[in-house]
């Protein structure tokens, strides 16, 4: 489907989460191109061009939360304890962490204490060794989330064994104020090249989180200038930043001579000599440039989907395009504090025309209709029995009957708030409105730009329905259901990610129980059960799964899109002719 | 002369103060808590709103905020301005050197440095557009006037009007998608710094410059044409003819001097306006100039950046007006600076 | 007449001027017509006169009578416009309507110079007075800048501008009205032309300055020996300086005679009107000035017969056929008048009804 | 580079003078209105343009009625007309042109393009006309007051004009949008959505659009003031209000008419530009701007859809501009543009 939305709608709010694609065990991606190493075997050398519209918001590892940025930097400039393997076609293996700076991926008997041993000889770009203290300092920065906002700080702050203040925030306030430093020093300890993390509850997913996010990355204390370092890259990977990074324009990566490939196995081929990131280029221009393939544009890859108006132009270039399901599910959430009658919500869900929506977004190359908020590729996924019964095109007549039976006054006014700014999404919302209006609603569309965050975060806002999008942080429904529907994140001033202000004690309790399940499949089944409960309340309306229809330059080799990098192009394998 | 310049500067300063204060009232006294527009989606992170409010001093009354801003312009400023914090945790303090136009917590950068980074791009674009619009606009206007009422006149004025009738972003996108990418008739409109490669700089500026120039060309053709025709009907041109001067001298020395003099001041003002960035053109061509920065800041509600740009652009306009007034006195002997 | 060639051969033109081959300037059957959206404007319609060397001709008439248009035709200022000019204008033996643009250009300013009505608008505001005068000199004389400058200062001095070496570098707006007109005259005289056309040279000036300028012109004429055509709507202006006076109405000559004849025995009712609307210093004013009633005639559809008849207080169709016949203007006469009223009756009317109130 | 002067010379002075002299006698007895009508009638181009503009106006006025009657259907989707697998492009040639949809259908939804454009004319013209009325009204008021009062009031009003012109207009339009729209809905109870957004665009265009016109009016008033008749009216004991109403305003209608006609196309373009930047009335309500914003994506894949919205804007802007020129020629023939 579209561009900005892909990540910006998803990154809906404070704790917006996106990152890893899904799939712990299942299969993914009805890929229609060939998904193997494409464009021939990659060789070293050449200049790769990375075209994108949406600028990186943060290049500070602790602040990154956008899947694309996490993986582009992870394959080039930032190394971590663990990572996902590159070029791995088996979805399960692709999402199984392998060691990076760690000598191995450890196990933990109780899930609460994790001890990792570091490799020798991994160096920063200034030649100093990456040591245990760097990892310890790195994760400590997540606690200064008021200064270093934007990152997935909730994982270290909730799991590390540090007491909480009365307001629920950790007693450790980060490395700048150093308040509660002793508490942090107990939770994360260094012994030679062994680092130990102590959690307050079992967290079997820890290696997944390390590999799927950057918040546990090392950071050099002597290089830390706080928020001013937002676009500063101090590399320990095969590349380093040449000059400075300019937001909206991009930057250029060149080879890092301190990087020793012998310490790095199976992931970073680091084929191109340079990688240039060009930000802010409109999708249609990206497509046009790659199709034309003039000069360096023939070496280009992108994270932006081909837009429907360009489909016909891209069609003949089959060996330069790929089409895969993305990890992102888009959905609507009724505001439970305003639309209190479950029958009205049911009528909304019944009248929702997902088929028309998909059509307006550009058809089956843009999206497929969804029947659950959990991506079917996540481990343990079960079909949603409520939404899969509603026809994809909706049933306005049935919806009208529900409304009539419920005895509500018609036309029933509905204000649908979404993040505007994209004409295609505007058209798609027009389709939703049409279906709802047929069922007896009177829908007013309310596209907002950046004020969206301000509005949706207020518990007393007057919108009836919101739009949202979500992708799991790492391959587990544990990073979907609890983040979106746990009522304990609601406060008098904030709704967190629970825009619909969904409150159900049974769901909250079930979430707590599911968190203790260590088997990924069983956990997934538990979350699907919770999903069913929420669906019975019509706490959300699933819409579609976004598809990635990507084009790349004709000189690009070794091109891979796997679950390891959330279906974005893998910079660990790519090369140019 | 000096007295005039000083008086003019003084009145410009008064204007600047009134204008900047009005801007503060508009943005900080509105219906919306300004701090909500300093952090985007990070506003939802616990503590961020409070931190930004304290950091940017938004808890002060508007006049105090204004005073602090003005002070920052002259001596620089710390965000937050907290001496204790400067000692204990310098990482959390953003130093903004004079002339400090504010600090954007969202971009983690001072507004001044953002402006300084973008200004050369907008200036380049302004220069490119200026050259083309003067060449086509004034040149076309002169030709149209010389052939007044005949086909070259109608062709020039008509073409310009048609270009003018289509919205700028439509023309820009059309040029970009068809002329540059599809037909590859012109170089790719990608910005290269002048210092890096002057040739690439000029080539990349061609299409955006043309797009921007087209917006002005129609107006300048019409103006030039009417000024030349007006000047040609002046009595002193009859005198020049009666003196026995040849046509060339009459046209280039006598007619053009009086026709183009008012154009110089107009062009200077328009050029100054462009220095502040061309929002639409920069957006279409992804030129990261002041216009793009402005529109990004405005649409993502980065309030400190927006305010900083508004004030900078207004200052440019005020200054340009002063310069043009003085310039006019230099080129038109009839204007007395009293 | 529409669509006719601009420069009609002279043979087709009815001659109504005395053939004085020795005259410096001889205008014969001059017609200047402008095609406009409303129709053909006959601004000058068959005009003839002569100016002998060293003499002054005054052309008098209201605005729209064609007096300025006819003099601009001499300079060829209509060339290149839509104007259709026909007839003959002989300067010496050269027909100014027949020669090429370049030849005429060389004559402009050098042989024939012009002084315009409003010196402020007639001088270029962006160039110094000296610059403009020097330019006029250098276009006809291949001399150095400094020589031209010397000559200009000399001329400025000659026309009575004090401190000419300083004033030469000033701009027109820094001059007073009278000084500007003196500068214009200096510009006209700098090439020592044989004919000067002064188009309302004093209209824009106040009364005391008017007299000075006229005196200057008379004095300079004596010194340089040029011929002068002075165009004005004010009989008073030409009273003192013109040898001969031509009265125009509606694009045609209506009366011609020596200054004395026109002033003391004017023959045309229009001239009477002009005289009575002229302030006179030499007699007590009995009543307010009486402007001629009515408006100037349309030049597209002029009144039939005598063009003046709609405004003429003595018009009498039954007796004189003012409306049906165009009165004849016989240039062979020493004092021709274009009027339908027979001369004898006119004389009676003038003596009895007009003269007492003048 | 030198431009060879053409054979025909520029000096129209003599002709103009002569024609004026003739005109002075010829037009005697005609009111200015008759004169203007006469000149306009003779100006074939302007008459043609006038017909185009009137057609646009009628289109704008009738579109909402036609939509209600069902003759136009700007909102309903026609899924059967689009190719769901091909990016939602219309089925059939030329963007799905057919008798039922003369300009084809919108990709993705299958809405009727012609209906959306015609109703878009209503909204765009509505915005432009309202903003013009606001700008001209304010400009006239300030200009008349400043020009007639002179003294300190004139001084301060002139400074207000300067001040308004100092602000970067487009940027302010974008930047103030959320604040002012929120202000309108929360403090003044304006209904959210199209009405508040439309009011914002009209208001801000109008509020930034008046100063230049105020300057024109002010100088016009100053010059009219100098004319005798005002003095005459005053000496006859007419009070100020009578002077404004009876003497000044009739003399201002020419600039008001000309500038109104020239401001309108500017505002139509401005609406389109603002839509491109995401400010103003939002879809599914069609304005020419927001239809164009969608259509420019289809430059290559659906040329009909790409071209016609831009053409509608261009025709409106061009014809209004030409009409303004024609009016200027008719009302003020000396301003030869």
């Amino acid at each position: 489907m579209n561009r900005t939305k892909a990540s910006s709608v998803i990154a809906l709010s404070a704790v917006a989460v996106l990152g890893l694609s899904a799939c712990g065990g299942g299969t993914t991606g009805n890929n229609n191109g060939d998904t193997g190493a494409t464009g021939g075997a990659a060789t070293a050398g050449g200049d790769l061009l990375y075209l994108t519209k949406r600028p990186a918001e943060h290049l500070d590892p602790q602040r990154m939360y956008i899947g694309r940025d996490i993986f582009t930097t992870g394959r080039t400039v930032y190394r971590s304890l663990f990572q996902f393997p590159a070029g791995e076609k088996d979805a399960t293996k692709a999402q199984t962490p392998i060691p990076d700076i760690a000598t191995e991926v450890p196990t933990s008997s109780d899930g609460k204490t994790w001890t990792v041993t570091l490799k020798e000889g991994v160096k920063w770009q200034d030649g100093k060794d990456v040591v245990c203290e760097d990892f310890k300092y790195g994760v400590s920065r997540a606690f200064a989330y008021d200064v270093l906002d934007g990152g997935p700080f909730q994982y270290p702050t909730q799991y590390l064994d540090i007491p909480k203040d009365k307001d629920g925030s950790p007693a450790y306030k980060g490395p700048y104020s150093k308040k509660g430093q002793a508490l942090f020093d107990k939770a994360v300890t260094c012994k030679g090249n062994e680092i130990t993390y102590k959690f307050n509850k079992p967290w079997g997913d820890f290696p997944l989180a390390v590999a799927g996010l950057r918040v546990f990355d090392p950071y050099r204390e002597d290089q830390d200038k706080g928020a001013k370092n937002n676009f500063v890259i101090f590399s320990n990977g095969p590349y380093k930043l040449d000059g400075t990074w300019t937001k909206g324009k991009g930057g250029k990566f060149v080879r890092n001579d301190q990087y020793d490939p012998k310490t790095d196995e199976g992931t970073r081929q680091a084929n191109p000599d340079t990688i240039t990131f060009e930000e802010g280029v409109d999708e249609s221009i990206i497509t046009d440039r790659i199709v034309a393939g003039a000069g360096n544009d023939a070496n280009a890859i992108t994270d932006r989907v081909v837009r429907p108006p360009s489909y016909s132009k891209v069609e003949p270039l089959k060996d330069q395009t790929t089409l895969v399901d993305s990890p992102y599910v888009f959905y609507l959430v009724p505001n439970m504090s305003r639309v209190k009658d479950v029958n009205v919500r049911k009528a909304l869900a019944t009248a929702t025309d997902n088929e028309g929506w998909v059509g307006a977004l550009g058809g089956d190359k843009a999206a497929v209709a969804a029947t659950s908020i959990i991506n079917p590729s996540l481990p343990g996924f079960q079909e949603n029995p409520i939404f899969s019964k509603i026809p994809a095109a909706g049933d306005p007549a049935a919806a009208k009957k529900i409304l009539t039976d419920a005895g509500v006054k018609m036309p029933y006014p509905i204000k649908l708030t979404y993040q505007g700014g994209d004409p295609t999404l505007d058209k798609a919302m027009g389709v939703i409105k049409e279906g709802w209006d047929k069922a007896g609603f009177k829908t007013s569309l309310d596209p907002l730009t950046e004020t969206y965050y301000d509005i949706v975060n207020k518990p007393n806002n007057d919108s009836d329905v919101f739009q949202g999008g979500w992708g799991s942080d790492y391959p587990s429904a544990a990073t979907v259901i609890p983040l979106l529907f746990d009522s304990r994140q609601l406060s008098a001033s904030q709704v967190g990610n629970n825009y619909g202000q969904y409150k159900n004690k049974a769901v909250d309790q079930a979430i707590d129980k599911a968190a203790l399940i260590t088997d990924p499949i069983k956990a997934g089944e538990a979350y699907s059960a919770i999903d069913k409960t929420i669906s019975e309340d019509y706490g959300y309306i699933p819409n579609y799964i976004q598809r990635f229809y990507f084009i790349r330059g004709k000189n690009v080799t070794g091109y891979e899109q796997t679950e390891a990098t959330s279906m974005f192009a893998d910079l660990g394998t790519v090369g140019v002719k | 002369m000096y007295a005039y310049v000083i008086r003019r500067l003084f009145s410009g300063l008064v204007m600047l103060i009134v204008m900047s204060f009005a801007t503060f009232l508009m943005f900080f006294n509105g219906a919306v808590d300004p701090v909500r527009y300093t952090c985007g989606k990070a506003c939802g992170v616990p503590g961020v709103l409070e931190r930004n409010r304290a950091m940017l001093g938004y808890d002060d009354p508007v006049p105090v905020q204004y005073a602090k801003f003005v002070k920052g312009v002259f001596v620089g400023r710390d965000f937050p301005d907290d001496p204790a914090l400067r000692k204990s945790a310098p990482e959390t303090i953003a130093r903004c050197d004079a002339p400090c136009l504010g600090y954007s917590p969202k971009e983690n950068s001072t507004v001044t440095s953002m402006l300084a980074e973008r200004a050369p791009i907008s200036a380049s674009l302004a220069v490119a557009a200026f050259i083309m619009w003067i060449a086509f606009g004034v040149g076309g206007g002169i030709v149209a006037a010389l052939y007044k009422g005949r086909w070259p006149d109608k062709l020039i004025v008509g073409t310009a009007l048609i270009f003018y009738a289509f919205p700028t972003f439509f023309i820009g996108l059309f040029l970009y998608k068809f002329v540059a990418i599809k037909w590859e008739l012109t170089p790719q409109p990608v910005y290269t710094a002048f210092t890096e490669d002057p040739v690439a700089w000029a080539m990349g500026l061609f299409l955006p410059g043309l797009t921007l120039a087209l917006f002005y060309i129609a107006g300048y053709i019409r103006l030039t044409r009417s000024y030349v025709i007006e000047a040609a009907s002046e009595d002193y041109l009859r005198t020049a003819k009666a003196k026995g001067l040849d046509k060339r001298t009459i046209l280039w020395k006598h007619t053009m001097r009086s026709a183009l003099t008012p154009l110089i001041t107009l062009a200077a003002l328009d050029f100054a306006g462009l220095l502040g960035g061309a929002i639409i053109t920069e957006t279409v061509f992804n030129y990261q100039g002041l216009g793009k920065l402005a529109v990004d800041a405005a649409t993502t509600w980065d309030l400190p950046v927006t305010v900083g740009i508004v004030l900078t652009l207004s200052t440019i306009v005020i200054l340009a007006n002063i310069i043009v007034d003085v310039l006019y006195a230099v080129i038109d002997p009839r204007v007395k600076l009293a | 007449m529409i669509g006719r060639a601009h420069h009609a051969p002279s043979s087709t033109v009815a001659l109504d001027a005395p053939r004085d081959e020795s005259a410096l300037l001889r205008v014969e059957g001059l017609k200047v017509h402008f095609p406009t959206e409303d129709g053909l404007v006959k601004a000058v319609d068959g005009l003839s006169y002569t100016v002998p060397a060293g003499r002054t001709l005054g052309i008098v008439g209201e605005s729209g009578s064609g007096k300025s248009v006819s003099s601009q035709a001499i300079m060829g200022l209509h060339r290149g416009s839509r104007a259709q000019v026909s007839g003959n204008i002989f300067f010496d033996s050269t027909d100014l309507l027949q020669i090429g643009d370049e030849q005429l250009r060389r004559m402009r300013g050098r042989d024939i110079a012009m002084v315009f009505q409003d010196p402020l608008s007639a001088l270029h505001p962006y160039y110094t007075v000296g610059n403009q005068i020097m330019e006029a000199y250098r276009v006809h004389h291949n001399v150095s800048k400094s020589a031209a400058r010397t000559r200009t200062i000399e001329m400025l001095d000659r026309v009575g501008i004090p401190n000419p070496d300083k004033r030469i570098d000033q701009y027109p707006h820094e001059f007073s009205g009278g000084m500007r007109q003196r500068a214009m005259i200096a510009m006209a005289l700098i090439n020592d032309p044989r004919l000067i056309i002064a188009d309302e040279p004093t209209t824009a000036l106040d009364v005391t300055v008017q007299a000075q300028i006229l005196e200057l012109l008379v004095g300079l004429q004596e010194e340089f020996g040029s011929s002068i055509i002075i165009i004005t709507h004010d009989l008073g202006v030409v009273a003192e300086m013109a040898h001969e006076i031509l009265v125009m109405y509606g694009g045609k000559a209506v009366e011609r005679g020596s200054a004395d004849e026109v002033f003391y025995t004017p023959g045309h009712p229009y001239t009477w009107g002009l005289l009575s609307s002229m302030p006179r210093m030499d007699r007590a004013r009995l009543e307010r000035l009486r402007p001629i009633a009515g408006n100037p005639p349309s030049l597209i559809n002029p009144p039939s017969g005598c063009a003046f008849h709609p405004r003429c207080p003595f018009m009498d169709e039954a007796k004189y056929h003012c409306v049906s016949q165009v009165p004849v203007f016989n240039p062979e006469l020493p004092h021709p008048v274009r009027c339908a009223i027979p001369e004898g009756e006119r004389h009676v009317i003038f003596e009895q009804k007009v003269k007492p109130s003048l | 580079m030198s431009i060879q002067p053409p054979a025909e010379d520029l000096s129209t002075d003599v002709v103009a003078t002569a024609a004026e002299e003739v005109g002075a006698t010829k037009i005697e007895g005609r009111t200015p209105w008759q004169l203007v009508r006469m000149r306009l009638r003779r100006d074939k181009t302007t008459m043609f343009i006038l017909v185009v503009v009137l057609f646009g106006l009628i289109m704008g006025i009738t579109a909402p009625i036609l939509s209600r009657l069902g003759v136009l259907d700007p909102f309903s989707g026609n899924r059967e007309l689009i190719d769901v697998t091909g990016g939602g492009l219309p089925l059939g040639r030329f963007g799905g042109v057919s008798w039922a949809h003369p300009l084809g259908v919108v990709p993705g939804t299958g809405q009727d393009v012609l209906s959306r454009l015609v109703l878009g004319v209503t909204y765009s013209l509505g915005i432009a006309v309202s903003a013009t009325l606001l700008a001209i009204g304010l400009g006239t008021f300030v200009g008349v007051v400043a020009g007639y009062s002179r003294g300190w009031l004139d001084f301060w009003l002139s400074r207000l004009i300067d001040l308004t012109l100092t602000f970067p207009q487009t940027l302010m339009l974008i930047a103030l949008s959320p604040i002012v729209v929120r202000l309108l809905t929360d403090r003044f109870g304006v209904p959210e959505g199209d009405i508040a957004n439309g009011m914002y665009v009209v208001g801000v265009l109008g509020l930034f659009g008046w100063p230049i016109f105020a300057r024109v009016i002010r100088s016009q008033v100053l010059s009219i003031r100098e004319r005798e008749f005002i003095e005459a009216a005053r000496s006859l004991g007419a009070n100020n209000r009578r002077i404004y109403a009876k003497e000044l305003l009739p003399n201002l209608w020419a600039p008001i008419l000309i500038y109104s006609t020239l401001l309108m196309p500017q505002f139509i373009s401005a609406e389109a530009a603002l839509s491109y930047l995401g400010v103003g009335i939002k879809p599914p309500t069609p304005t020419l701007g927001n239809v164009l914003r969608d259509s420019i994506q289809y430059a290559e894949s659906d040329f009909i859809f790409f071209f016609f919205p831009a053409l509608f804007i261009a025709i409106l802007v061009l014809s209004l501009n030409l009409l303004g020129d024609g009016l200027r020629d008719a009302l003020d023939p000396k301003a030869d543009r």
Side-chain angles (χ1 to χ4, degrees), chain C residues 39-336:
Chain C
L40 189 69
V41 175
K42 298 167 187 166
V44 180
D45 200 19
L47 180 69
S48 305
Y49 59 81
T50 59
V51 183
R55 305 282 284 178
T56 301
L57 172 71
I59 301 182
V60 185
E62 297 172 312
S63 53
S65 64
K67 55 191 196 304
S68 290
V69 175
S70 64
S71 61
Q72 285 167 6
I74 299 170
M75 294 289 278
L77 296 182
H78 299 305
R79 288 197 180 201
S81 76
R82 286 171 295 175
Q84 301 162 356
V85 185
S86 64
N88 301 83
I89 300 172
F90 288 105
F91 185 80
D92 277 343
S93 53
T94 318
D95 188 340
L96 297 181
L97 293 185
Q98 302 295 331
I99 60 176
D101 285 351
E102 183 59 16
Q103 198 184 344
L104 181 65
R105 180 183 75 73
R106 287 180 196 286
M107 290 178 74
R108 285 183 194 142
R110 191 185 65 191
D111 297 310
I112 310 171
M114 219 163 161
V115 176
F116 291 99
Q117 172 175 350
D118 178 2
L120 183 59
S121 65
L123 286 169
H124 202 297
Y126 294 158
Y127 294 107
T128 61
V129 170
N131 184 324
Q132 298 183 54
I133 300 179
M134 280 150 66
E135 188 183 40
Y137 188 60
R138 294 187 69 204
V139 71
H140 297 298
H141 295 86
N142 190 13
V143 297
S144 70
K145 265 192 180 159
S146 61
R149 191 180 166 84
T150 315
R151 166 85 177 152
T152 302
I153 292 174
E154 188 187 310
M155 279 314 293
L156 288 176
D157 188 40
R158 181 65 200 80
V159 296
I161 291 178
N163 300 325
D165 51 335
K166 293 209 174 60
R167 307 286 288 200
I168 189 172
D169 292 323
Q170 288 185 339
Y171 288 93
H173 69 271
E174 294 171 287
F175 277 51
S176 69
M179 285 300 150
R180 275 197 289 266
Q181 196 57 292
R182 286 174 194 267
M184 276 299 288
I185 292 170
M187 189 194 292
L189 286 172
I190 197 158
N191 290 314
D192 202 359
R194 288 192 283 159
L195 176 64
I196 297 169
I197 301 172
D199 189 353
E200 306 261 14
T202 59
T203 309
L205 306 175
D206 61 54
V207 184
T208 47
V209 183
Q210 280 186 9
Q212 293 170 7
I213 294 293
L214 290 177
E215 247 170 62
L216 176 68
L217 274 174
V218 173
L220 291 170
Q221 184 185 27
E222 281 164 10
E223 184 181 331
F224 288 85
S226 318
S227 302
I228 294 181
I229 297 176
I230 183 157
I231 295 161
T232 179
H233 63 278
D234 184 355
L235 270 173
V237 168
V238 292
E240 306 301 323
M241 72 178 280
H243 301 107
E244 199 167 42
I245 292 174
L246 179 77
V247 181
M248 287 187 72
Y249 187 79
K252 290 182 164 79
V254 293
E255 180 165 2
R256 197 196 74 226
S258 71
D260 283 353
E261 283 166 343
V262 172
F263 272 96
Y264 298 110
T265 57
H268 197 281
Y270 176 62
T271 317
W272 303 342
L274 288 177
L275 282 169
S276 65
S277 64
M278 185 181 88
R280 297 282 293 252
M281 300 293 173
D282 54 345
R283 69 187 75 167
R285 193 178 299 158
L286 297 175
E287 50 195 297
R288 292 184 80 149
L289 291 179
R290 285 168 308 173
I292 305 167
N295 289 309
S298 161
L299 299 177
I300 295 173
N301 296 303
S304 60
C306 172
F308 189 60
H309 83 254
R311 299 167 75 188
C312 183
F314 311 106
M315 193 274 277
D316 189 337
E317 172 65 11
K319 268 166 86 179
Y320 314 126
H321 308 292
C322 289
V323 181
S324 52
Q325 285 175 12
V326 181
V328 183
F329 185 81
N330 184 355
E332 301 300 328
L333 297 174
H335 180 194

Side-chain angles (χ1 to χ4, degrees), chain A residues 309 313 353 363 415 421 427, chain D residues 79 84 107 192 293-294 300-301:
Chain A
K313 171 187 255 187
D353 179 1
K415 180 172 163 188
K427 278 196 287 200
Chain D
R79 202 163 306 151
V84 178
E192 279 180 59
R293 174 166 177 256
D294 181 25
E300 287 165 85
S301 47

